[in-house]
Amino acid sequence: MKIIVKKMIAILLCTSMCVGLLSGCGQDSNAKTSAGTAEGKKTLVIGSGQSAGTLDPIQAYNGWYSVRYGICQTLIKMNDDYSISGWLADDDYSANDDNTVWTFTIKDKVTFSNGNKLDAQAVKESLENVFTNGERGIEYFTPVSIEADGQKLVITTKKPEPILPNKLADPLFSILDTSVDNSKIADNGPIGTGPFVCESFDSATKKCVVVKNENYWNGEVKTDRILFIYSEDQSTISMGLQSGDFDAVYNVSMNDIGTFEKNSDYKIKTNPSGRTTIGFMNQNGQLGDKVLREAILQMQDKEAYCKNLLKNQYVPGKTLITSASDYGYDTLTDPNAYNPENAKKLLENAGYADTDGDGFLETPGGQPINLRFVYYTGRPEQQIVVEAAQAAMASVGIKITPEVHDTQTVMDMQKTGDYDLLCMSINIMNCGDPENQINTYFKAGGTYNATGYHNEEFNSLMDQVHVTADPKLRKDLTKQAEQILLNDAAAIYFCYPIMNFVMKYQVDGINSTPADFYWVDENTSANE
C-alpha cells in the first residue's frame, strides 16, 4: 500500500511540475497551449530537455538553437547521409588547386527576416563577426581574407581547407544581419534568414517563442507561431505530450518511448545520430594515472547498459565516433574492453589498496579516491550511465560521487575542467566530418579540452587531417587518431543514441536528423 501511495504522489508531483512549467513561462491565460491560438495565431508547442543559454549564435554552442528554432540558416546544409548541399549558397561552390581559395555564389532571392537582401557583403560581415567576437572560429579555419562582389563570396584561408563547405554547415556560422543593432541579441535573437523570427526568449525559463517570417525567401511558412518549452525533467516533458500540453517532444526517454510506440495518436521519427555519450576523464587530478583510467574503462559493461538499462535505444560505445558512420567502430581495437577481473589486477599490481578499511581504495600514495562525476539530465541516458558506472566502480573499491547540474552549467564546467569525470553527449559528426569536434575536445588547445590530454602523435595526425583532401586518406588518418585515444584510455565512450522526435499524429514537418540541429522549417505544421 505504501508503494502505491508513493507512486501516486510521484505522479501528482510530476503533473504539477508540468502545469507549473507551462504557467511559469508567462503564457497568456486565454491562449491555448497546444496547437492553439495566441492573438489569432496558430501555436505549435514543442518540449525539450535541451535549451539555449543565449540566442547569440557565436557564443558557445548556442548557434544550434538559432537553427533548431528556425531563425537562422547557414551557407551549406548537412544531409541525412552526412553529405552536404547548398542552403543559402548555390551548389556550384569551388576551390583552387590547393584548397586555400573557395568561391561561393549566394542565392539571389534570399532576404533576412527584416527584408534586407542577403548578398555576399552581408555574408562576409556575418562570417567576420564569428572571428572577431566569437571564440571557436579559428578551430574551424583561419581566414586570410573574405571578399564580396555582388552575390560572389571568396574566402582565402591560411592553410588548405579541403572541407571548408562542411565547416560552414556548422551553426556557429549561422548567417545573421550584422548591419542592425545586435547589442541585445542574446535575449532578442538574431535577424536571420530562416522561416521564423524570435518573438521572445526568457533567459531564466529558457522559453523561446518564434513567429512566422513574413519575408521568408523559400515559400509559404505553414505555422504562425512555435513555443519551445524547456525542462530537463524527462517525465515532465513526456507527460506533457500525453496530456496535450505539447504537440511534439524532442528525445523522449527510453523509459517512455514505448508508451507512444503503442498509441496511434502519435508518430515517431527516429534516426541513428552522430552523437556519442562520452565520459571525459580529467587527467589533471588522480585520473592522470593511466592505470586508474584503464581500470575504470574495463569496469564498464556497455553492452549490458544498453540492453538492460537503456532498453536498446542506444548502441554500445567503443570508439569516439558513432557506429552510424564508417570511422572504425568495427575495425579498431579497444584495449580496455569490459574485463572486471583484469581491472582488479591492474589496481592491485599498481599499489591501490583499501588501507583504512572503509571499503574504498586509496592511491599508491595513500590518498583517498573520491571522483566527482558531473552530468546533466537533459539527455535521458546521462543519469543512467553515470549511476551504472558508479555501481560498477564501487565493486572494485573506486568511489564515485555523482553531481548533477543543468546542461549549461555542465558545459561551463567542462570548459574550465571543474570535474574528475564528466558526462556529455557530443555530436562528433556535426559537419558530416569529425575533424573539428575531435580537435575541440581532444587536441591540444581545443576550446573544450580541459582534461589535460596531450599526445603529440595524435596532434600530428589531426594536423594532417586538416589539410588532407582525399576522403579515404582523411578517414584513415582519423581512425589512427581514434586508436591513439583508445590506447591512451582518454575517455569512456558509453553509447550512441538513437535520436527521436515524438509528435501528435497530425503534426508534420518536425525533423529528426543525424545533424540534430534541423528541427523545424517552413513545412512544419499542425494540421487540424
Side-chain angles (χ1 to χ4, degrees):
M1 183 66 178
K2 288 182 179 179
I3 293 174
I4 294 173
V5 171
K6 286 182 179 179
K7 286 185 177 178
M8 290 178 66
I9 291 172
I11 291 170
L12 288 170
L13 282 172
C14 196
T15 303
S16 66
M17 284 177 66
C18 195
V19 173
L21 177 67
L22 292 172
S23 63
C25 285
Q27 201 161 336
D28 296 338
S29 59
N30 48 350
K32 293 181 180 179
T33 61
S34 178
T37 59
E39 299 176 355
K41 295 182 178 180
K42 186 189 297 181
T43 300
L44 192 69
V45 184
I46 298 176
S48 171
Q50 302 289 296
S51 72
T54 162
L55 288 183
D56 186 348
I58 69 172
Q59 301 304 320
Y61 281 85
N62 292 292
W64 283 57
Y65 296 93
S66 66
V67 176
R68 281 176 165 177
Y69 296 167
I71 300 169
C72 283
Q73 298 167 322
T74 50
L75 292 182
I76 307 296
K77 188 173 185 178
M78 183 176 134
N79 303 315
D80 288 356
D81 62 355
Y82 296 112
S83 65
I84 57 171
S85 55
W87 200 3
L88 296 178
D90 289 332
D91 283 324
D92 65 350
Y93 48 82
S94 61
N96 65 348
D97 289 342
D98 68 356
N99 295 305
T100 58
V101 181
W102 281 87
T103 302
F104 299 86
T105 303
I106 309 306
K107 289 181 178 177
D108 195 41
K109 63 178 181 178
V110 182
T111 61
F112 288 107
S113 59
N114 59 6
N116 290 345
K117 180 179 173 57
L118 181 72
D119 56 15
Q121 182 64 28
V123 173
K124 164 186 163 69
E125 291 170 2
S126 181
L127 295 178
E128 288 176 341
N129 178 55
V130 175
F131 295 95
T132 302
N133 299 310
E135 59 182 12
R136 292 189 297 116
I138 58 172
E139 291 183 358
Y140 288 78
F141 66 96
T142 301
V144 173
S145 66
I146 303 177
E147 300 173 355
D149 181 11
Q151 299 303 113
K152 290 291 182 184
L153 182 81
V154 179
I155 301 175
T156 302
T157 60
K158 185 175 182 179
K159 296 179 180 178
E161 294 290 347
I163 65 161
L164 183 62
N166 290 75
K167 295 177 179 182
L168 292 174
D170 189 288
L172 176 66
F173 298 103
S174 294
I175 302 303
L176 55 119
D177 189 348
T178 59
S179 70
V180 299
D181 179 8
N182 280 311
S183 60
K184 297 181 180 179
I185 191 173
D187 294 323
N188 294 346
I191 301 298
T193 60
F196 297 98
V197 179
C198 179
E199 180 181 82
S200 64
F201 174 70
D202 188 320
S203 59
T205 65
K206 312 299 184 186
K207 182 188 80 167
C208 184
V209 181
V210 299
V211 295
K212 178 179 181 177
N213 175 6
E214 300 293 347
N215 294 311
Y216 188 53
W217 62 275
N218 198 30
E220 180 64 21
V221 181
K222 295 180 180 179
T223 293
D224 294 323
R225 191 171 184 265
I226 302 178
L227 169 61
F228 295 93
I229 295 288
Y230 160 72
S231 172
E232 291 205 5
D233 185 288
Q234 297 297 319
S235 297
T236 295
I237 58 175
S238 293
M239 288 183 66
L241 184 57
Q242 294 179 68
S243 67
D245 288 320
F246 298 141
D247 297 296
V249 164
Y250 168 71
N251 204 23
V252 169
S253 79
M254 76 295 300
N255 295 317
D256 298 323
I257 193 73
T259 301
F260 302 102
E261 289 175 334
K262 300 170 185 176
N263 191 329
S264 61
D265 290 337
Y266 302 94
K267 57 186 177 184
I268 305 172
K269 288 188 176 182
T270 63
N271 63 275
S273 74
R275 288 191 171 277
T276 303
T277 300
I278 303 173
F280 289 90
M281 294 193 279
N282 193 340
Q283 297 182 27
N284 294 305
Q286 292 175 337
L287 291 171
D289 183 358
K290 186 181 179 183
V291 170
L292 182 56
R293 299 199 307 276
E294 290 174 333
I296 288 172
L297 286 166
Q298 292 178 28
M299 290 304 300
Q300 308 308 312
D301 190 352
K302 301 168 190 175
E303 295 277 351
Y305 295 172
C306 290
K307 179 180 179 181
N308 301 326
L309 303 177
L310 301 176
K311 301 183 179 180
N312 291 319
Q313 294 295 314
Y314 296 73
V315 176
K318 173 186 171 182
T319 50
L320 171 62
I321 305 174
T322 172
S323 61
S325 61
D326 182 22
Y327 276 90
Y329 181 79
D330 294 321
T331 58
L332 297 179
T333 301
D334 183 2
N336 292 300
Y338 181 57
N339 191 341
E341 291 304 315
N342 192 62
K344 294 176 186 176
K345 291 178 183 177
L346 284 173
L347 293 168
E348 291 172 3
N349 293 340
Y352 287 85
D354 179 12
T355 56
D356 60 7
D358 67 349
F360 292 103
L361 301 176
E362 280 74 50
T363 67
Q367 296 177 326
I369 301 173
N370 186 3
L371 303 174
R372 295 168 55 230
F373 204 153
V374 173
Y375 72 98
Y376 58 99
T377 58
R379 292 197 176 273
E381 78 277 11
Q382 302 277 340
Q383 182 174 353
I384 290 173
V385 297
V386 168
E387 291 181 352
Q390 178 191 25
M393 289 186 271
S395 69
V396 290
I398 299 174
K399 186 176 183 179
I400 299 294
T401 300
E403 188 176 304
V404 62
H405 300 277
D406 65 84
T407 304
Q408 189 60 51
T409 299
V410 174
M411 289 185 68
D412 293 342
M413 295 171 78
Q414 181 174 26
K415 192 174 180 181
T416 61
D418 182 16
Y419 61 90
D420 295 305
L421 295 113
L422 181 145
C423 196
M424 179 65 72
S425 175
I426 306 295
N427 191 336
I428 302 296
M429 294 292 291
N430 69 319
C431 297
D433 185 281
E435 176 198 334
N436 284 94
Q437 292 291 68
I438 294 176
N439 289 343
T440 295
Y441 291 96
F442 291 98
K443 194 168 183 280
T447 301
Y448 283 84
N449 179 10
T451 64
Y453 177 73
H454 187 97
N455 182 303
E456 285 298 336
E457 184 182 1
F458 171 85
N459 293 338
S460 177
L461 283 167
M462 292 311 300
D463 284 340
Q464 293 176 61
V465 170
H466 185 94
V467 297
T468 298
D470 179 71
K472 184 179 184 304
L473 181 55
R474 285 182 65 86
K475 191 167 290 187
D476 288 344
L477 291 167
T478 301
K479 289 178 183 178
Q480 292 177 48
E482 280 190 279
Q483 187 63 62
I484 290 173
L485 291 174
L486 286 167
N487 295 344
D488 286 346
I492 309 168
Y493 311 126
F494 281 112
C495 55
Y496 316 113
I498 298 173
M499 305 304 298
N500 68 66
F501 239 117
V502 182
M503 64 205 80
K504 293 178 180 177
Y505 187 78
Q506 66 268 29
V507 174
D508 288 321
I510 290 181
N511 307 302
S512 180
T513 70
D516 201 20
F517 38 72
Y518 308 121
W519 284 5
V520 299
D521 58 29
E522 60 272 18
N523 296 311
T524 302
S525 65
N527 300 314
E528 296 298 335

